[in-house]
Amino acid sequence: MEYKVEAHRIMSISLGKIYNSRVQRGGIKLHKNLLVSLVLRSARQVYLSDYYSGACLNAAQSEREWDITDTEREKFPPSTTECDRVESSEEPQKNERPEKEREYRENDDEVKSDQADCTSTLQQEQNQNSSQDSVAKVSSETLQETINEPKESPSDSALAELDSTPEANGESHQPPKTHVCSNRKRSAEESESGDSPQKKTKVASSNAKEGEEAEEMDTSNVSNLITIFGSSFSGLLSKDGAKPESEAEDSGQICCDQMLKNLNPWSTAIVAF
Amino acid sequence: SEHACAGFYQNKKTFFSFFFILVCDPADVISTVEFNQTGEFLATGDKGGRVVIFQREPQSHRHFIGEYNVYSTFQSHEPEFDYLKSLEIEERINKIRWLPLHNPAHFLLATNDKTIKLWKVSERDKRAEGYNLRDEEGRLKDLSTVTTLQVPVLRPMDLLVEASPRRVFANAHAYHINSISVNSDCETYLSADDLRINLWNLNITDRSFNIVDLKPENMEDLSEVITVAEFHPHHCHLLAFSSSTGTTRLCDMRASALCDQHAKLFEEAADPSHRSFFSEIVSSVSDVKFSHSGRYLLTRDYLTVKVWDLNMENKPVETYQVHDYLRTKLCSLYESDCIFDKFECAWNGTDSVIMTGAYNNYFRMFDRASLRDVTLEASREVCKRRAVLQPRRVCVGKKQKETDVSVDSLDFRKKILHTAWHPKENIIAIAASNNLYIFQDRLTPNGHHNTPEIQSAPPKWQTQPNPPTY
């Protein structure tokens, strides 16, 4: 649907802005990056949702508060969901992921030696880290959620899985057409109100700091994002270090697409940056 | 003794009487404009860290208005590098605020992203001559030649305007400073960054008190930043600060040391029909100004300017659309980063007219009593000497008049972010990129737009006859 294309475009633009902000003079502008991350989140909500309506967006707004009620939590225990998702992911994706992670870890060492702030912790009060934290965290959150869906298999058989994991009713990049049609069918069947709360919980729980699975993947996510937002983007593209700024736009774009496709979806807070 | 004194030797008798600006030098983009409390001086700060002060000449019979001419120029801030964080600190002057002191010298606060400086600007028109130990060039005399003692005498000299940094308030802000505001007690002032507001004593540079702290324990939970903060003009215990979420808070410093709990929260419910991806961005408040009376607050967000009564928190008493035709263009404005532009707003001296900038070098004025508004343009092509500004109109769709400008032909690179209104008279200063325009209302130069009877026609704004160079 058009709005999904638009939402995806806005997400790419937003990611590009976040990337570019790192090479801007004067350091990261917290205000601008916060606003960009809010747009990114809104676009993601629309991108994932079946419904392009004001009500839906409003629901997404309140979702941002991650307000989980106990009853909903009972219905959808986070750990089991996560397990389901991991197990249900397709073969090719599984193969892709470890490769990427390996790549990231290699680059991680490079990046860590380059930048002192990569090794800082949550508790550190250094503002550069803080502002990077906020940028990274907010954008990583949305990134994780963004790439949740693209990672899901587009095949029809996955639809059955999607029914049980409602948050993954988004689509992937590969065969958008078939998937969109499938979504439409689903949306006709399911009620609006029933869907959103489930999604709400799912997304919220995916961000909850619980579940061993999430913790295991934290380090790889952290290193992924360090690589992505770090000055050396070599994990994602072969970058000519001599001309970072001229390539900033292209890099931003390529980086966005790659990130959207390949990032490990699970992450909680970005601790170190 | 003065040290590190930056001076600009200028003969005040020679005026720069041609309309300036030739090349747009990025370092010279004006980043702040501020009249002092009497309106005699106008200070501008630019992206290159320079401060230029203009002084108004006394009115002569030849011109019905006094002209503003360059009084002093000095380099306030230099680019710095924070080695610990590998961060470059821009020298751009974010804000200038004059101190309301009644000394022969003038004092102003100028701030960049990290450091606030108090500058003293003073005149020297006499020089001591006839020293015993040094000659006129300052060289030490050969003491064997000194046979008599003399008392140095003061002799007149050509006026010298000196600017010297009297205080440097540094290392108190982890985030980028966006505002400074001098308290009505004239002893303290506040500085605000994205997450914190600090209270300073003007005489103490090594300590400041944190009075507002929005930093969450976990930066992941960050949901809003401070955009502007200002002290109440009369009540030294009240301050207002606005946020990126579109709210403005009034805080009472008497309530507690840390004013995280607001005394009042000014917020209008968002219009659900206007929801879009960019709703948050356009609701972010880019400027807050107390009225001179202290009764009202003026807030500017991307598309509107609102007047709030301090006694009513749930909605503004007046809302003015600055450029509502942009509402359908938010996506492309987001792409071009224009949506992040921070427009300022201003009250006139009697709080009857408000002014704010827009794109295409347009600026807007709203008369609160008559509800009339006007769009005017500040550009070299239009502003000839003594020319009366003609109102502009932006049209969405077909042009109704020849002079109409269509939305699609607006130049979004030409933005008027910084405007200032003389505290007493109808003189305004408009910064457009690296150009400074000064206009005066021809019909009522010293009067007020108080009641509709006085104004039978919209104000006729006129460029001053001898515009200053920058």
Side-chain angles (χ1 to χ4, degrees), chain A residues 3-19 35-49 139 141-150 170-173 229 252-261, chain B residues 277-278 331 334-335:
Chain A
Y3 68 86
K4 289 189 194 294
V5 172
E6 179 71 5
H8 180 252
R9 194 171 79 90
I10 289 174
M11 287 194 305
S12 299
I13 293 169
S14 304
L15 290 168
K17 286 189 195 297
I18 291 173
Y19 171 65
L35 294 176
V36 170
S37 66
L38 293 176
V39 171
L40 184 58
R41 212 181 285 193
S42 296
R44 183 200 70 84
Q45 302 289 1
V46 168
Y47 188 73
L48 297 178
S49 82
S139 44
E141 256 187 8
T142 54
L143 272 178
Q144 306 320 311
E145 292 136 21
T146 304
I147 44 85
N148 276 348
E149 317 330 311
E171 35 296 307
S172 85
H173 292 280
F229 291 106
Q253 188 51 46
I254 298 166
C255 148
C256 295
D257 292 343
Q258 289 205 348
M259 272 197 292
L260 289 170
K261 287 178 196 163
Chain B
F277 291 122
F278 312 105
C331 191
Y334 177 70
E335 269 186 273

Side-chain angles (χ1 to χ4, degrees), chain B residues 334-401:
Chain B
Y334 177 70
E335 269 186 273
S336 63
D337 271 1
C338 285
I339 207 173
F340 301 105
D341 288 335
K342 294 184 185 171
F343 292 95
E344 292 173 8
C345 53
W347 296 92
N348 76 333
T350 53
D351 301 334
S352 56
V353 183
I354 54 189
M355 169 173 70
T356 189
Y359 291 106
N360 212 52
N361 279 348
Y362 289 168
F363 59 100
R364 305 261 282 137
M365 284 190 195
F366 303 92
D367 186 313
R368 297 176 62 205
S370 64
L371 295 183
R372 265 199 315 250
D373 65 87
V374 69
T375 303
L376 299 170
E377 183 177 357
S379 73
R380 268 188 292 161
E381 293 77 35
V382 168
C383 297
K384 308 292 181 223
R385 217 178 119 134
R386 288 190 176 276
V388 173
L389 296 181
Q390 298 303 320
R392 296 276 178 260
R393 221 167 70 101
V394 178
C395 60
V396 189
K398 213 179 133 191
K399 279 194 189 184
Q400 288 173 8
K401 278 191 225 173

Side-chain angles (χ1 to χ4, degrees), chain B residues 5 33 39 64 108 116 155 214 352 381 401-402 424 430:
Chain B
C5 183
V33 185
F64 60 85
L108 59 84
I116 307 135
R155 295 201 193 283
L214 290 193
S352 56
E381 293 77 35
K401 278 191 225 173
E402 188 58 43
K424 296 180 174 52
I430 310 283

Side-chain angles (χ1 to χ4, degrees), chain A residues 10-33:
Chain A
I10 289 174
M11 287 194 305
S12 299
I13 293 169
S14 304
L15 290 168
K17 286 189 195 297
I18 291 173
Y19 171 65
N20 288 335
S21 75
R22 282 204 51 105
V23 300
Q24 265 170 15
R25 201 171 164 245
I28 289 182
K29 293 173 175 41
L30 190 61
H31 182 199
K32 183 177 173 186
N33 279 283

